[in-house]
Amino acid sequence: MHTNRTVELYVRGNTAMSDPLRKGFYTVLLKDVQTKNTHKNVSNIFDHTTPNRLMLLGTIYALKKLKYPCEIKLYSMAHLGLKKKKGINSDLLAEVWSLVSTGGHTLSFESNPKKVRDQLSYQSENNEEINEPATVYMGYLLATLKEPSEETMELLCSVPCERALEILLLMREHKKRINSPKNFIKRAIEEGWSVTTRA
């Protein structure tokens, strides 16, 4: 099926290499080249995983979001073995190609760490790369002593990293019990709460 819709998909997988459970999560950014609309998602935490497996899971998540046939340009942090049909991660590879086929998509792919970093990260003043999702995730753990849900991470990552950390600081310093962290974060974003206004 012919389509003139082009989307760019940027995908990254992060794992805690020093953690025996090998916890990790993926970050994806789906960008419609024509409309410039974007959709960003940070997954919940997976145990016993690898960066490549996480990137494939992120790719599957993004493919399921597409409602029309597209020309997909996939950029990943590492080679995902998409040309292979057997071996490591063959279950996820099969699902990727099944979604591409049933959706009427075309898929080209490229390992381009710099391009992915440019889309999913920002640079600090001394040019060190800051991994936004990992920073926000750790900030949430420090503020609540609990792991964030996928919805909460998506909400926090919808604003700049500094803003997300400011909201988490507000949560940490809030005097009353917060029954719904997600609703607290949503209100903080919508109403522009800051350390000075909520002091």
Short mmCIF file of all heavy atoms in Angstrom, two decimals, residues 100-126:
data_model
loop_
_atom_site.label_atom_id
_atom_site.label_comp_id
_atom_site.label_asym_id
_atom_site.label_seq_id
_atom_site.Cartn_x
_atom_site.Cartn_y
_atom_site.Cartn_z
N VAL A 100 4.78 -4.36 11.02
CA VAL A 100 5.11 -3.61 9.80
C VAL A 100 4.25 -4.10 8.64
O VAL A 100 3.64 -3.32 7.90
CB VAL A 100 6.61 -3.74 9.45
CG1 VAL A 100 6.90 -3.21 8.04
CG2 VAL A 100 7.46 -3.00 10.48
N SER A 101 4.14 -5.42 8.50
CA SER A 101 3.38 -6.03 7.41
C SER A 101 1.89 -5.75 7.52
O SER A 101 1.26 -5.28 6.57
CB SER A 101 3.65 -7.54 7.39
OG SER A 101 2.85 -8.16 6.41
N THR A 102 1.32 -6.02 8.69
CA THR A 102 -0.13 -5.85 8.85
C THR A 102 -0.54 -4.37 8.81
O THR A 102 -1.66 -4.06 8.43
CB THR A 102 -0.63 -6.47 10.17
OG1 THR A 102 0.08 -5.89 11.26
CG2 THR A 102 -0.44 -7.97 10.17
N GLY A 103 0.38 -3.49 9.17
CA GLY A 103 0.07 -2.05 9.14
C GLY A 103 0.27 -1.42 7.77
O GLY A 103 -0.06 -0.25 7.57
N GLY A 104 0.83 -2.18 6.83
CA GLY A 104 1.08 -1.64 5.49
C GLY A 104 2.23 -0.65 5.47
O GLY A 104 2.30 0.24 4.61
N HIS A 105 3.17 -0.79 6.41
CA HIS A 105 4.29 0.14 6.53
C HIS A 105 5.50 -0.31 5.71
O HIS A 105 5.60 -1.48 5.32
CB HIS A 105 4.74 0.27 7.99
CG HIS A 105 3.64 0.57 8.95
ND1 HIS A 105 2.86 1.69 8.88
CD2 HIS A 105 3.19 -0.14 10.04
CE1 HIS A 105 1.99 1.70 9.87
NE2 HIS A 105 2.15 0.58 10.58
N THR A 106 6.41 0.62 5.50
CA THR A 106 7.76 0.28 5.06
C THR A 106 8.69 0.72 6.19
O THR A 106 8.41 1.70 6.88
CB THR A 106 8.15 1.00 3.75
OG1 THR A 106 8.10 2.42 3.96
CG2 THR A 106 7.23 0.62 2.61
N LEU A 107 9.78 -0.01 6.36
CA LEU A 107 10.67 0.28 7.48
C LEU A 107 12.12 0.30 7.02
O LEU A 107 12.62 -0.66 6.44
CB LEU A 107 10.50 -0.79 8.57
CG LEU A 107 11.43 -0.70 9.79
CD1 LEU A 107 11.14 0.56 10.59
CD2 LEU A 107 11.30 -1.94 10.67
N SER A 108 12.77 1.42 7.26
CA SER A 108 14.22 1.50 7.09
C SER A 108 14.81 1.77 8.47
O SER A 108 14.15 2.37 9.32
CB SER A 108 14.61 2.60 6.10
OG SER A 108 14.19 3.87 6.57
N PHE A 109 16.03 1.32 8.70
CA PHE A 109 16.59 1.44 10.05
C PHE A 109 18.07 1.77 9.98
O PHE A 109 18.77 1.43 9.03
CB PHE A 109 16.35 0.17 10.86
CG PHE A 109 16.56 -1.11 10.10
CD1 PHE A 109 17.80 -1.70 10.04
CD2 PHE A 109 15.50 -1.69 9.41
CE1 PHE A 109 17.99 -2.88 9.33
CE2 PHE A 109 15.68 -2.87 8.70
CZ PHE A 109 16.92 -3.46 8.65
N GLU A 110 18.50 2.46 11.02
CA GLU A 110 19.88 2.92 11.08
C GLU A 110 20.31 3.03 12.54
O GLU A 110 19.56 3.54 13.37
CB GLU A 110 19.98 4.30 10.40
CG GLU A 110 21.35 4.94 10.45
CD GLU A 110 21.35 6.34 9.87
OE1 GLU A 110 20.45 6.67 9.06
OE2 GLU A 110 22.25 7.11 10.23
N SER A 111 21.50 2.52 12.84
CA SER A 111 22.07 2.73 14.17
C SER A 111 22.76 4.09 14.14
O SER A 111 23.73 4.29 13.41
CB SER A 111 23.09 1.63 14.48
OG SER A 111 23.79 1.95 15.65
N ASN A 112 22.23 5.04 14.89
CA ASN A 112 22.76 6.40 14.87
C ASN A 112 22.67 6.99 16.28
O ASN A 112 21.78 7.77 16.59
CB ASN A 112 21.98 7.25 13.87
CG ASN A 112 22.65 8.57 13.58
OD1 ASN A 112 23.31 9.15 14.44
ND2 ASN A 112 22.49 9.05 12.36
N PRO A 113 23.60 6.60 17.17
CA PRO A 113 23.53 7.05 18.56
C PRO A 113 23.47 8.57 18.72
O PRO A 113 22.72 9.07 19.56
CB PRO A 113 24.82 6.50 19.17
CG PRO A 113 25.16 5.31 18.33
CD PRO A 113 24.73 5.68 16.95
N LYS A 114 24.22 9.30 17.91
CA LYS A 114 24.22 10.76 18.04
C LYS A 114 22.85 11.35 17.76
O LYS A 114 22.35 12.21 18.50
CB LYS A 114 25.26 11.39 17.10
CG LYS A 114 25.34 12.91 17.26
CD LYS A 114 26.35 13.53 16.32
CE LYS A 114 26.47 15.04 16.56
NZ LYS A 114 25.21 15.77 16.59
N LYS A 115 22.22 10.87 16.69
CA LYS A 115 20.90 11.39 16.32
C LYS A 115 19.87 11.06 17.40
O LYS A 115 19.02 11.88 17.73
CB LYS A 115 20.47 10.80 14.97
CG LYS A 115 19.34 11.55 14.31
CD LYS A 115 19.27 11.22 12.83
CE LYS A 115 18.30 12.17 12.14
NZ LYS A 115 18.33 12.04 10.69
N VAL A 116 19.96 9.85 17.96
CA VAL A 116 19.03 9.46 19.01
C VAL A 116 19.26 10.30 20.26
O VAL A 116 18.31 10.80 20.87
CB VAL A 116 19.17 7.95 19.35
CG1 VAL A 116 18.30 7.58 20.54
CG2 VAL A 116 18.80 7.10 18.14
N ARG A 117 20.53 10.49 20.62
CA ARG A 117 20.84 11.32 21.79
C ARG A 117 20.34 12.74 21.61
O ARG A 117 19.81 13.35 22.53
CB ARG A 117 22.36 11.33 22.05
CG ARG A 117 22.87 10.10 22.77
CD ARG A 117 24.27 10.31 23.32
NE ARG A 117 25.22 10.55 22.26
CZ ARG A 117 25.98 9.61 21.71
NH1 ARG A 117 25.87 8.36 22.11
NH2 ARG A 117 26.83 9.91 20.76
N ASP A 118 20.50 13.28 20.41
CA ASP A 118 20.05 14.65 20.15
C ASP A 118 18.54 14.79 20.35
O ASP A 118 18.06 15.83 20.78
CB ASP A 118 20.41 15.08 18.72
CG ASP A 118 21.91 15.33 18.56
OD1 ASP A 118 22.60 15.44 19.58
OD2 ASP A 118 22.36 15.39 17.40
N GLN A 119 17.80 13.75 20.02
CA GLN A 119 16.35 13.80 20.13
C GLN A 119 15.85 13.49 21.54
O GLN A 119 14.85 14.04 21.98
CB GLN A 119 15.71 12.80 19.15
CG GLN A 119 15.91 13.15 17.69
CD GLN A 119 15.17 14.41 17.29
OE1 GLN A 119 14.07 14.69 17.76
NE2 GLN A 119 15.78 15.20 16.41
N LEU A 120 16.55 12.61 22.26
CA LEU A 120 16.04 12.14 23.54
C LEU A 120 16.78 12.69 24.76
O LEU A 120 16.39 12.42 25.88
CB LEU A 120 16.09 10.61 23.59
CG LEU A 120 15.25 9.88 22.56
CD1 LEU A 120 15.38 8.38 22.74
CD2 LEU A 120 13.79 10.29 22.66
N SER A 121 17.82 13.46 24.54
CA SER A 121 18.60 13.99 25.64
C SER A 121 18.87 15.46 25.43
O SER A 121 18.58 16.01 24.37
CB SER A 121 19.93 13.24 25.77
OG SER A 121 19.73 11.87 25.93
N TYR A 122 19.44 16.08 26.44
CA TYR A 122 19.91 17.44 26.27
C TYR A 122 21.33 17.51 26.81
O TYR A 122 21.81 16.60 27.45
CB TYR A 122 19.00 18.45 26.96
CG TYR A 122 19.02 18.39 28.47
CD1 TYR A 122 19.91 19.17 29.19
CD2 TYR A 122 18.16 17.55 29.16
CE1 TYR A 122 19.93 19.11 30.57
CE2 TYR A 122 18.18 17.50 30.54
CZ TYR A 122 19.07 18.29 31.25
OH TYR A 122 19.09 18.22 32.60
N GLN A 123 22.01 18.58 26.51
CA GLN A 123 23.40 18.73 26.93
C GLN A 123 23.48 19.67 28.13
O GLN A 123 22.82 20.70 28.16
CB GLN A 123 24.25 19.29 25.78
CG GLN A 123 24.23 18.46 24.53
CD GLN A 123 24.91 17.12 24.71
OE1 GLN A 123 25.96 17.05 25.32
NE2 GLN A 123 24.32 16.06 24.19
N SER A 124 24.28 19.33 29.11
CA SER A 124 24.50 20.22 30.24
C SER A 124 25.48 21.31 29.83
O SER A 124 26.02 21.30 28.72
CB SER A 124 25.05 19.43 31.42
OG SER A 124 26.34 18.95 31.14
N GLU A 125 25.74 22.24 30.72
CA GLU A 125 26.61 23.37 30.39
C GLU A 125 28.02 22.92 30.04
O GLU A 125 28.70 23.55 29.25
CB GLU A 125 26.65 24.35 31.56
CG GLU A 125 25.33 25.09 31.74
CD GLU A 125 25.37 26.05 32.91
OE1 GLU A 125 26.45 26.19 33.52
OE2 GLU A 125 24.33 26.65 33.19
N ASN A 126 28.48 21.82 30.62
CA ASN A 126 29.83 21.36 30.30
C ASN A 126 29.81 20.25 29.26
O ASN A 126 30.73 19.47 29.13
CB ASN A 126 30.55 20.88 31.57
CG ASN A 126 29.80 19.76 32.27
OD1 ASN A 126 28.74 19.33 31.81
ND2 ASN A 126 30.34 19.29 33.38
#
